[in-house]
Each structure stands twice: as C-alpha cells, then as structure tokens.
Amino acid sequence: MAKDLEKSLKIADQRCIEQGLRLTPQRRQVMGLLLEQEGPRSAYDLLDELQSRHQPGAKPPTIYRALDFLVSAGLAHRLASTNRYLACGHLACDHGHERTLFLVCDQCGAVREATMDTPLKQALNRSLSQEGFTAGTQPMEMHGRCRACR
Amino acid sequence: MAKDLEKSLKIADQRCIEQGLRLTPQRRQVMGLLLEQEGPRSAYDLLDELQSRHQPGAKPPTIYRALDFLVSAGLAHRLASTNRYLACGHLACDHGHERTLFLVCDQCGAVREATMDTPLKQALNRSLSQEGFTAGTQPMEMHGRCRACR
DNA sequence: AGTCGGGCGTTACGCTGTAACGTACGCTTT
DNA sequence: AAAGCGTACGTTACAGCGTAACGCCCGACT
C-alpha cells in the first residue's frame, strides 16, 4: 500500500518535470492525501486532513490552490457535480486522459473512471459537431447506481 | 413573448395535474421567472427576482423548495456543474426527456439542451452495461464553446 | 544589485444549500 | 363536528463551498 503511494508520487514528480511544473512539498502532500483515499473527497475534508497531518495552520486558499494545480497538471480530477476531488486513476498510463467519463454511484459515492471506447467517442463527436459545439477538457459525469449497489 | 410565457405556464399546469402534483402560486411564480430568462440562473439570482417581483419576504428555503419541486416534476433542470437552474426546453413535447445532454458554453454561459440520437444512446448504454452501471435520471453536462463563441 | 514572477500566508468576505422548528390549511376518519 | 394527518410554507440559524485581495519570501534571470 505505502509502496504504491510512493510509486504514484514518483510518477507525479515525473509528470510535473515533463510539463515544466513544480510539485512543491505542499502540493505533494495534497497529492498524497488524494492517493490515499478510496473515493472522492471534498476540499474541506482534505483541508482538515492536511491540517491534522501536515500543516496545522492551513486555510481554505491553501487547499484550493493545491487542488487547482493538481487538476491543471492532470494529476487529479474535480467532480463538478458533487464538488469532490480525486487522484487521476490513470497516472501510470500515458494515454492523455481526454474524454474520460466518470460514473458516480449516488448510493455509495464510489466513482469509476471509465474511458470512452471508439464508437462512443465517434457518436459523441458527431453529435457535438452537428451542434457546432467544441468540447473542453472537463470530463463528463454520469450519476446512477454501481454494480455493487444495484 | 408574454403570450409564450402564459402558454408555457398552462402546459406546466397540465403536466402537474397529470402527475397529481400541485403547481401552487409560489411555484408557478418561480416557474415564470425561469421561463422568462435567456440562460440558466443561480438560486440566489432567482431569489432576488422573486423578492423584488412577488414576495419581498422570501428566504433561501423558499426558492430552493420551489426549484426542487420544479426539477422533480420535470419542469426545470438543475445544472449540477454550475449550480444553475433553467426551465425545461422540451416542455411542449411529450417525449419524456430521458437522456438529454446539456452543452454548456464556458464563455457566454449559454446552455443548449441537446437530445441524444439513437447511435449515441446505444453506444452509451453498451458502455454502461459493460461497467455494470445503471444510469439515473440526472442529465449529463458537457463544457466547451458554443458555435457563436468559437 | 535589481527586478520579476511564482508560491504561499492571511484576512475577509460572498455564494450555496439545508436542518430544524413552527404554523396554516385541507383532507380523511371517526 | 372533532380529531388526526399530510403537505406547503414561514422563519431562524447555521454549515459548507469558494475566492478576492493584499503582502511577503525566494529563486531566476539580467
């Protein structure tokens, strides 16, 4: 477990270097908190955690800055529909996670980070171009019940 | 314009009667505010509007209760990613708006309520069943740039 | 040495949403 | 008619989410 954590943090270091970004100690701590968690967490949950574990004096802007950085660096995701954050589930793979789809279980809160297959991407792109709409980078989210909770 | 508003409110009345729900004067006023608007509005915007136009003493729970009712009755939608509300764009049509996709322009804020075509629905359903995930009723949202803002 | 920008601390504030309680009113049951 | 019941709504108070704005420090580049 702790091994996986360290390994993931190393990958995060690497990803930042590649992009010319700085994974400062503070940002790394927050990334560590995200990696430890099972599911998505709210910013204030993470703030509490950060305060009790690393930085007693941390204030809201501290956690939001770190999270914004991690999201923009592609190391974490923000679930817009529930105001929650989670580590990217595809840290290791290279395949730039464009067009991922989050499946959010409304019962247990679990989030599955699904990648869209080719036919789905194509059908979606066709619909979008028909509307003249250019998709941004924010992933899509779908709510429902996961396999375990059905 | 005002004609359309009245007509839409009549349809809303009808929809409620069909479902055995009560579109009270207060709820009807809020529905009217939603129908008047160009784009999606925040709950507090609507609260201000409600206060200045109909109910000076209205408080947050007033507007949230009305909005929750309208959403659950299928007369309005909530954009989870931006905390905004808008009247359902398909009030007139019968085709129960399951599987709609909101295209949200990050620049101008406009929202287009697109209906998924059959191939897209199929591709999506296949992906979901593969994951063992059962979709709920909440519509999906996609962010990007609309035709006009490109 | 000067300056420039990024990261961070700190304060203060605004927006979003709800819990919990009480009241009024219409409906059914007795 | 009286009692009981559920829904809508008023009201208070609070919890959670997020950011603007300011200033300091420090490393990099000239």
Side-chain angles (χ1 to χ4, degrees), chain A residues 4-30:
Chain A
D4 289 352
L5 178 64
E6 260 318 304
K7 205 178 296 186
S8 297
L9 282 174
K10 287 270 166 58
I11 298 174
D13 288 332
Q14 196 52 38
R15 292 283 217 96
C16 284
I17 291 169
E18 287 163 9
Q19 301 178 74
L21 301 174
R22 295 170 49 198
L23 191 61
T24 64
Q26 195 171 84
R27 292 165 174 174
R28 207 168 188 275
Q29 286 167 358
V30 174

PDB file of all heavy atoms in Angstrom, chain A residues 4-30:
ATOM      1  N   ASP A   4       2.759   1.551  -3.076  1.00  0.00           N
ATOM      2  CA  ASP A   4       2.027   2.098  -4.212  1.00  0.00           C
ATOM      3  C   ASP A   4       1.961   3.616  -4.134  1.00  0.00           C
ATOM      4  O   ASP A   4       2.080   4.303  -5.141  1.00  0.00           O
ATOM      5  CB  ASP A   4       0.601   1.538  -4.250  1.00  0.00           C
ATOM      6  CG  ASP A   4       0.608   0.067  -4.649  1.00  0.00           C
ATOM      7  OD1 ASP A   4       1.679  -0.425  -5.024  1.00  0.00           O
ATOM      8  OD2 ASP A   4      -0.466  -0.560  -4.568  1.00  0.00           O
ATOM      9  N   LEU A   5       1.767   4.085  -2.926  1.00  0.00           N
ATOM     10  CA  LEU A   5       1.672   5.525  -2.719  1.00  0.00           C
ATOM     11  C   LEU A   5       2.951   6.208  -3.172  1.00  0.00           C
ATOM     12  O   LEU A   5       2.923   7.168  -3.952  1.00  0.00           O
ATOM     13  CB  LEU A   5       1.406   5.811  -1.234  1.00  0.00           C
ATOM     14  CG  LEU A   5       1.321   7.277  -0.830  1.00  0.00           C
ATOM     15  CD1 LEU A   5       0.140   7.934  -1.516  1.00  0.00           C
ATOM     16  CD2 LEU A   5       1.198   7.408   0.683  1.00  0.00           C
ATOM     17  N   GLU A   6       4.076   5.667  -2.693  1.00  0.00           N
ATOM     18  CA  GLU A   6       5.365   6.271  -3.056  1.00  0.00           C
ATOM     19  C   GLU A   6       5.596   6.208  -4.562  1.00  0.00           C
ATOM     20  O   GLU A   6       6.071   7.153  -5.176  1.00  0.00           O
ATOM     21  CB  GLU A   6       6.504   5.543  -2.322  1.00  0.00           C
ATOM     22  CG  GLU A   6       7.004   6.277  -1.093  1.00  0.00           C
ATOM     23  CD  GLU A   6       7.146   7.778  -1.320  1.00  0.00           C
ATOM     24  OE1 GLU A   6       7.868   8.177  -2.255  1.00  0.00           O
ATOM     25  OE2 GLU A   6       6.536   8.564  -0.579  1.00  0.00           O
ATOM     26  N   LYS A   7       5.212   5.085  -5.122  1.00  0.00           N
ATOM     27  CA  LYS A   7       5.409   4.913  -6.551  1.00  0.00           C
ATOM     28  C   LYS A   7       4.582   5.943  -7.325  1.00  0.00           C
ATOM     29  O   LYS A   7       5.056   6.576  -8.270  1.00  0.00           O
ATOM     30  CB  LYS A   7       4.998   3.487  -6.961  1.00  0.00           C
ATOM     31  CG  LYS A   7       5.681   3.007  -8.216  1.00  0.00           C
ATOM     32  CD  LYS A   7       5.278   1.577  -8.548  1.00  0.00           C
ATOM     33  CE  LYS A   7       5.732   0.562  -7.482  1.00  0.00           C
ATOM     34  NZ  LYS A   7       5.442  -0.831  -7.896  1.00  0.00           N
ATOM     35  N   SER A   8       3.337   6.128  -6.891  1.00  0.00           N
ATOM     36  CA  SER A   8       2.465   7.079  -7.570  1.00  0.00           C
ATOM     37  C   SER A   8       2.997   8.503  -7.442  1.00  0.00           C
ATOM     38  O   SER A   8       2.929   9.296  -8.392  1.00  0.00           O
ATOM     39  CB  SER A   8       1.056   7.008  -6.984  1.00  0.00           C
ATOM     40  OG  SER A   8       0.489   5.732  -7.212  1.00  0.00           O
ATOM     41  N   LEU A   9       3.545   8.804  -6.267  1.00  0.00           N
ATOM     42  CA  LEU A   9       4.079  10.157  -6.075  1.00  0.00           C
ATOM     43  C   LEU A   9       5.288  10.378  -6.983  1.00  0.00           C
ATOM     44  O   LEU A   9       5.480  11.481  -7.510  1.00  0.00           O
ATOM     45  CB  LEU A   9       4.442  10.376  -4.611  1.00  0.00           C
ATOM     46  CG  LEU A   9       3.245  10.657  -3.699  1.00  0.00           C
ATOM     47  CD1 LEU A   9       3.668  10.706  -2.238  1.00  0.00           C
ATOM     48  CD2 LEU A   9       2.570  11.962  -4.093  1.00  0.00           C
ATOM     49  N   LYS A  10       6.076   9.329  -7.151  1.00  0.00           N
ATOM     50  CA  LYS A  10       7.225   9.439  -8.061  1.00  0.00           C
ATOM     51  C   LYS A  10       6.750   9.753  -9.468  1.00  0.00           C
ATOM     52  O   LYS A  10       7.339  10.574 -10.179  1.00  0.00           O
ATOM     53  CB  LYS A  10       8.008   8.119  -8.068  1.00  0.00           C
ATOM     54  CG  LYS A  10       8.812   7.874  -6.794  1.00  0.00           C
ATOM     55  CD  LYS A  10      10.213   8.443  -6.890  1.00  0.00           C
ATOM     56  CE  LYS A  10      10.901   8.500  -5.531  1.00  0.00           C
ATOM     57  NZ  LYS A  10      10.981   7.161  -4.889  1.00  0.00           N
ATOM     58  N   ILE A  11       5.705   9.049  -9.874  1.00  0.00           N
ATOM     59  CA  ILE A  11       5.161   9.305 -11.208  1.00  0.00           C
ATOM     60  C   ILE A  11       4.676  10.740 -11.312  1.00  0.00           C
ATOM     61  O   ILE A  11       4.890  11.412 -12.333  1.00  0.00           O
ATOM     62  CB  ILE A  11       4.014   8.319 -11.515  1.00  0.00           C
ATOM     63  CG1 ILE A  11       4.534   6.883 -11.516  1.00  0.00           C
ATOM     64  CG2 ILE A  11       3.366   8.659 -12.849  1.00  0.00           C
ATOM     65  CD1 ILE A  11       3.448   5.840 -11.660  1.00  0.00           C
ATOM     66  N   ALA A  12       4.049  11.201 -10.262  1.00  0.00           N
ATOM     67  CA  ALA A  12       3.563  12.590 -10.251  1.00  0.00           C
ATOM     68  C   ALA A  12       4.729  13.557 -10.404  1.00  0.00           C
ATOM     69  O   ALA A  12       4.652  14.529 -11.173  1.00  0.00           O
ATOM     70  CB  ALA A  12       2.795  12.867  -8.966  1.00  0.00           C
ATOM     71  N   ASP A  13       5.812  13.287  -9.677  1.00  0.00           N
ATOM     72  CA  ASP A  13       7.018  14.115  -9.824  1.00  0.00           C
ATOM     73  C   ASP A  13       7.421  14.184 -11.291  1.00  0.00           C
ATOM     74  O   ASP A  13       7.643  15.258 -11.847  1.00  0.00           O
ATOM     75  CB  ASP A  13       8.188  13.489  -9.026  1.00  0.00           C
ATOM     76  CG  ASP A  13       8.008  13.645  -7.522  1.00  0.00           C
ATOM     77  OD1 ASP A  13       7.359  14.625  -7.111  1.00  0.00           O
ATOM     78  OD2 ASP A  13       8.510  12.783  -6.786  1.00  0.00           O
ATOM     79  N   GLN A  14       7.494  12.998 -11.882  1.00  0.00           N
ATOM     80  CA  GLN A  14       7.932  12.888 -13.259  1.00  0.00           C
ATOM     81  C   GLN A  14       7.038  13.673 -14.209  1.00  0.00           C
ATOM     82  O   GLN A  14       7.514  14.424 -15.065  1.00  0.00           O
ATOM     83  CB  GLN A  14       7.937  11.396 -13.647  1.00  0.00           C
ATOM     84  CG  GLN A  14       8.721  11.090 -14.897  1.00  0.00           C
ATOM     85  CD  GLN A  14      10.132  11.655 -14.822  1.00  0.00           C
ATOM     86  OE1 GLN A  14      10.766  11.636 -13.775  1.00  0.00           O
ATOM     87  NE2 GLN A  14      10.615  12.201 -15.942  1.00  0.00           N
ATOM     88  N   ARG A  15       5.742  13.528 -14.017  1.00  0.00           N
ATOM     89  CA  ARG A  15       4.777  14.213 -14.863  1.00  0.00           C
ATOM     90  C   ARG A  15       4.943  15.733 -14.780  1.00  0.00           C
ATOM     91  O   ARG A  15       4.790  16.439 -15.778  1.00  0.00           O
ATOM     92  CB  ARG A  15       3.340  13.874 -14.437  1.00  0.00           C
ATOM     93  CG  ARG A  15       2.964  12.440 -14.697  1.00  0.00           C
ATOM     94  CD  ARG A  15       2.674  12.239 -16.171  1.00  0.00           C
ATOM     95  NE  ARG A  15       1.586  11.317 -16.347  1.00  0.00           N
ATOM     96  CZ  ARG A  15       0.325  11.679 -16.533  1.00  0.00           C
ATOM     97  NH1 ARG A  15       0.012  12.959 -16.601  1.00  0.00           N
ATOM     98  NH2 ARG A  15      -0.619  10.782 -16.679  1.00  0.00           N
ATOM     99  N   CYS A  16       5.241  16.209 -13.603  1.00  0.00           N
ATOM    100  CA  CYS A  16       5.422  17.651 -13.437  1.00  0.00           C
ATOM    101  C   CYS A  16       6.687  18.116 -14.143  1.00  0.00           C
ATOM    102  O   CYS A  16       6.685  19.139 -14.826  1.00  0.00           O
ATOM    103  CB  CYS A  16       5.471  18.015 -11.955  1.00  0.00           C
ATOM    104  SG  CYS A  16       3.844  18.002 -11.187  1.00  0.00           S
ATOM    105  N   ILE A  17       7.756  17.364 -13.959  1.00  0.00           N
ATOM    106  CA  ILE A  17       9.011  17.734 -14.608  1.00  0.00           C
ATOM    107  C   ILE A  17       8.822  17.817 -16.113  1.00  0.00           C
ATOM    108  O   ILE A  17       9.231  18.782 -16.753  1.00  0.00           O
ATOM    109  CB  ILE A  17      10.115  16.706 -14.259  1.00  0.00           C
ATOM    110  CG1 ILE A  17      10.482  16.836 -12.775  1.00  0.00           C
ATOM    111  CG2 ILE A  17      11.343  16.917 -15.136  1.00  0.00           C
ATOM    112  CD1 ILE A  17      11.361  15.727 -12.257  1.00  0.00           C
ATOM    113  N   GLU A  18       8.154  16.806 -16.650  1.00  0.00           N
ATOM    114  CA  GLU A  18       7.897  16.796 -18.098  1.00  0.00           C
ATOM    115  C   GLU A  18       7.187  18.057 -18.560  1.00  0.00           C
ATOM    116  O   GLU A  18       7.414  18.548 -19.655  1.00  0.00           O
ATOM    117  CB  GLU A  18       7.014  15.593 -18.470  1.00  0.00           C
ATOM    118  CG  GLU A  18       7.724  14.257 -18.408  1.00  0.00           C
ATOM    119  CD  GLU A  18       6.720  13.101 -18.375  1.00  0.00           C
ATOM    120  OE1 GLU A  18       5.517  13.371 -18.570  1.00  0.00           O
ATOM    121  OE2 GLU A  18       7.142  11.952 -18.134  1.00  0.00           O
ATOM    122  N   GLN A  19       6.281  18.543 -17.722  1.00  0.00           N
ATOM    123  CA  GLN A  19       5.476  19.694 -18.119  1.00  0.00           C
ATOM    124  C   GLN A  19       6.094  21.016 -17.672  1.00  0.00           C
ATOM    125  O   GLN A  19       5.484  22.079 -17.845  1.00  0.00           O
ATOM    126  CB  GLN A  19       4.058  19.583 -17.538  1.00  0.00           C
ATOM    127  CG  GLN A  19       3.309  18.344 -17.979  1.00  0.00           C
ATOM    128  CD  GLN A  19       1.942  18.267 -17.325  1.00  0.00           C
ATOM    129  OE1 GLN A  19       1.028  18.997 -17.671  1.00  0.00           O
ATOM    130  NE2 GLN A  19       1.795  17.379 -16.354  1.00  0.00           N
ATOM    131  N   GLY A  20       7.249  20.948 -17.048  1.00  0.00           N
ATOM    132  CA  GLY A  20       7.875  22.171 -16.571  1.00  0.00           C
ATOM    133  C   GLY A  20       7.145  22.784 -15.385  1.00  0.00           C
ATOM    134  O   GLY A  20       7.159  23.998 -15.195  1.00  0.00           O
ATOM    135  N   LEU A  21       6.506  21.926 -14.589  1.00  0.00           N
ATOM    136  CA  LEU A  21       5.752  22.419 -13.426  1.00  0.00           C
ATOM    137  C   LEU A  21       6.442  21.984 -12.144  1.00  0.00           C
ATOM    138  O   LEU A  21       7.231  21.040 -12.148  1.00  0.00           O
ATOM    139  CB  LEU A  21       4.326  21.869 -13.462  1.00  0.00           C
ATOM    140  CG  LEU A  21       3.510  22.236 -14.706  1.00  0.00           C
ATOM    141  CD1 LEU A  21       2.183  21.518 -14.700  1.00  0.00           C
ATOM    142  CD2 LEU A  21       3.322  23.751 -14.769  1.00  0.00           C
ATOM    143  N   ARG A  22       6.122  22.662 -11.058  1.00  0.00           N
ATOM    144  CA  ARG A  22       6.792  22.356  -9.786  1.00  0.00           C
ATOM    145  C   ARG A  22       5.866  21.686  -8.795  1.00  0.00           C
ATOM    146  O   ARG A  22       4.921  22.300  -8.314  1.00  0.00           O
ATOM    147  CB  ARG A  22       7.336  23.648  -9.182  1.00  0.00           C
ATOM    148  CG  ARG A  22       8.435  24.282 -10.022  1.00  0.00           C
ATOM    149  CD  ARG A  22       8.763  25.670  -9.511  1.00  0.00           C
ATOM    150  NE  ARG A  22       8.963  25.673  -8.074  1.00  0.00           N
ATOM    151  CZ  ARG A  22       8.924  26.778  -7.334  1.00  0.00           C
ATOM    152  NH1 ARG A  22       8.690  27.940  -7.897  1.00  0.00           N
ATOM    153  NH2 ARG A  22       9.116  26.723  -6.038  1.00  0.00           N
ATOM    154  N   LEU A  23       6.145  20.441  -8.482  1.00  0.00           N
ATOM    155  CA  LEU A  23       5.359  19.747  -7.459  1.00  0.00           C
ATOM    156  C   LEU A  23       5.987  20.053  -6.101  1.00  0.00           C
ATOM    157  O   LEU A  23       6.805  19.288  -5.591  1.00  0.00           O
ATOM    158  CB  LEU A  23       5.354  18.233  -7.732  1.00  0.00           C
ATOM    159  CG  LEU A  23       4.372  17.418  -6.901  1.00  0.00           C
ATOM    160  CD1 LEU A  23       2.947  17.851  -7.157  1.00  0.00           C
ATOM    161  CD2 LEU A  23       4.509  15.924  -7.178  1.00  0.00           C
ATOM    162  N   THR A  24       5.615  21.180  -5.540  1.00  0.00           N
ATOM    163  CA  THR A  24       6.179  21.621  -4.266  1.00  0.00           C
ATOM    164  C   THR A  24       5.773  20.667  -3.145  1.00  0.00           C
ATOM    165  O   THR A  24       4.860  19.867  -3.317  1.00  0.00           O
ATOM    166  CB  THR A  24       5.670  23.022  -3.927  1.00  0.00           C
ATOM    167  OG1 THR A  24       4.251  22.961  -3.736  1.00  0.00           O
ATOM    168  CG2 THR A  24       5.986  24.012  -5.025  1.00  0.00           C
ATOM    169  N   PRO A  25       6.460  20.742  -2.006  1.00  0.00           N
ATOM    170  CA  PRO A  25       6.133  19.842  -0.888  1.00  0.00           C
ATOM    171  C   PRO A  25       4.652  19.911  -0.517  1.00  0.00           C
ATOM    172  O   PRO A  25       4.013  18.888  -0.287  1.00  0.00           O
ATOM    173  CB  PRO A  25       7.004  20.379   0.251  1.00  0.00           C
ATOM    174  CG  PRO A  25       8.169  21.012  -0.428  1.00  0.00           C
ATOM    175  CD  PRO A  25       7.644  21.559  -1.719  1.00  0.00           C
ATOM    176  N   GLN A  26       4.136  21.106  -0.467  1.00  0.00           N
ATOM    177  CA  GLN A  26       2.735  21.257  -0.105  1.00  0.00           C
ATOM    178  C   GLN A  26       1.809  20.549  -1.106  1.00  0.00           C
ATOM    179  O   GLN A  26       0.901  19.808  -0.735  1.00  0.00           O
ATOM    180  CB  GLN A  26       2.394  22.747  -0.066  1.00  0.00           C
ATOM    181  CG  GLN A  26       1.110  23.058   0.635  1.00  0.00           C
ATOM    182  CD  GLN A  26       0.959  24.559   0.821  1.00  0.00           C
ATOM    183  OE1 GLN A  26       0.504  25.262  -0.060  1.00  0.00           O
ATOM    184  NE2 GLN A  26       1.377  25.048   1.961  1.00  0.00           N
ATOM    185  N   ARG A  27       2.059  20.795  -2.372  1.00  0.00           N
ATOM    186  CA  ARG A  27       1.247  20.157  -3.408  1.00  0.00           C
ATOM    187  C   ARG A  27       1.412  18.642  -3.370  1.00  0.00           C
ATOM    188  O   ARG A  27       0.449  17.891  -3.580  1.00  0.00           O
ATOM    189  CB  ARG A  27       1.681  20.673  -4.787  1.00  0.00           C
ATOM    190  CG  ARG A  27       1.341  22.126  -5.005  1.00  0.00           C
ATOM    191  CD  ARG A  27       2.079  22.701  -6.196  1.00  0.00           C
ATOM    192  NE  ARG A  27       1.653  24.054  -6.512  1.00  0.00           N
ATOM    193  CZ  ARG A  27       2.213  24.830  -7.439  1.00  0.00           C
ATOM    194  NH1 ARG A  27       3.238  24.372  -8.129  1.00  0.00           N
ATOM    195  NH2 ARG A  27       1.756  26.031  -7.651  1.00  0.00           N
ATOM    196  N   ARG A  28       2.604  18.226  -3.059  1.00  0.00           N
ATOM    197  CA  ARG A  28       2.872  16.787  -2.993  1.00  0.00           C
ATOM    198  C   ARG A  28       2.121  16.155  -1.821  1.00  0.00           C
ATOM    199  O   ARG A  28       1.624  15.036  -1.917  1.00  0.00           O
ATOM    200  CB  ARG A  28       4.378  16.569  -2.837  1.00  0.00           C
ATOM    201  CG  ARG A  28       4.895  15.255  -3.384  1.00  0.00           C
ATOM    202  CD  ARG A  28       6.417  15.257  -3.451  1.00  0.00           C
ATOM    203  NE  ARG A  28       6.936  14.085  -4.130  1.00  0.00           N
ATOM    204  CZ  ARG A  28       7.154  12.911  -3.525  1.00  0.00           C
ATOM    205  NH1 ARG A  28       6.855  12.776  -2.257  1.00  0.00           N
ATOM    206  NH2 ARG A  28       7.635  11.887  -4.215  1.00  0.00           N
ATOM    207  N   GLN A  29       2.046  16.876  -0.722  1.00  0.00           N
ATOM    208  CA  GLN A  29       1.292  16.381   0.431  1.00  0.00           C
ATOM    209  C   GLN A  29      -0.173  16.186   0.070  1.00  0.00           C
ATOM    210  O   GLN A  29      -0.780  15.163   0.396  1.00  0.00           O
ATOM    211  CB  GLN A  29       1.401  17.380   1.596  1.00  0.00           C
ATOM    212  CG  GLN A  29       2.747  17.375   2.303  1.00  0.00           C
ATOM    213  CD  GLN A  29       2.905  18.569   3.227  1.00  0.00           C
ATOM    214  OE1 GLN A  29       2.037  19.435   3.319  1.00  0.00           O
ATOM    215  NE2 GLN A  29       4.044  18.636   3.916  1.00  0.00           N
ATOM    216  N   VAL A  30      -0.721  17.175  -0.624  1.00  0.00           N
ATOM    217  CA  VAL A  30      -2.130  17.074  -1.002  1.00  0.00           C
ATOM    218  C   VAL A  30      -2.328  15.922  -1.984  1.00  0.00           C
ATOM    219  O   VAL A  30      -3.283  15.151  -1.878  1.00  0.00           O
ATOM    220  CB  VAL A  30      -2.646  18.398  -1.593  1.00  0.00           C
ATOM    221  CG1 VAL A  30      -4.064  18.240  -2.122  1.00  0.00           C
ATOM    222  CG2 VAL A  30      -2.587  19.492  -0.542  1.00  0.00           C
TER     223      VAL A  30
END
